[in-house]
Amino acid sequence: MSNDFAKEIEPYESLDEEMPPPCHGELMVPLFDIYKEGKVLSNGRFLMPVDLIRESYPEISESDLGQIMEYLQSTEEFCTDVCCSLARCCLTPYVPKTEDTKQKKTRIIRVCQKRYPWMEEEQVEDILDSVCWLSNR
């Protein structure tokens, strides 16, 4: 495994800006899960994440929904970028179970949760697993 991880993660670790949700902060964990699940086939038609959120949370206005979708996209993009710092070092389609990798994974989770405190550890791990798979297969 390359030693470039420290160089790649340090700029993210130095960021102190928390990015609070634009609205409906109490729903971010389940909304992000719906967003990450992607489109779903239902009765012969694909439902996009925005449709699934509309169905699950009809109380969210259309203007709020637009802001939420942009926020969820930027959340995913930021965490994907952070996770790439480990994927480029692992060069495997999975996250190795070594002690060194566990420590690096902890740093990644910390960075993502610092910026998005509502995120659950499992959500960051899912992104990391996907990034390693897509980057190194």
Side-chain angles (χ1 to χ4, degrees), residues 36-128:
K36 285 295 296 161
E37 186 175 318
K39 60 186 175 185
V40 172
L41 185 60
S42 176
N43 294 327
R45 81 179 240 260
F46 281 106
L47 297 177
M48 301 304 283
V50 69
D51 301 316
L52 298 168
I53 291 172
R54 268 190 204 106
E55 282 183 7
S56 298
Y57 299 95
E59 68 275 13
I60 297 176
S61 71
E62 285 300 311
S63 64
D64 285 354
L65 187 55
Q67 290 178 27
I68 288 168
M69 294 305 291
E70 286 178 25
Y71 177 77
L72 294 174
Q73 180 180 354
S74 66
T75 301
E76 179 184 35
E77 288 171 356
F78 176 83
C79 293
T80 296
D81 287 347
V82 173
C83 290
C84 281
S85 60
L86 181 58
R88 283 189 286 272
C89 295
C90 291
L91 302 177
T92 59
Y94 57 89
V95 180
K97 304 249 186 253
T98 65
E99 193 56 42
D100 180 54
T101 305
K102 286 179 189 175
Q103 290 173 3
K104 290 174 179 175
K105 185 168 120 176
T106 298
R107 287 174 72 178
I108 286 170
I109 291 167
R110 205 174 312 134
V111 166
C112 292
Q113 287 180 326
K114 182 176 167 185
R115 190 162 182 104
Y116 303 101
W118 53 265
M119 282 191 90
E120 293 184 346
E121 187 173 314
E122 182 180 293
Q123 291 174 313
V124 180
E125 288 174 348
D126 287 346
I127 293 171
L128 180 58

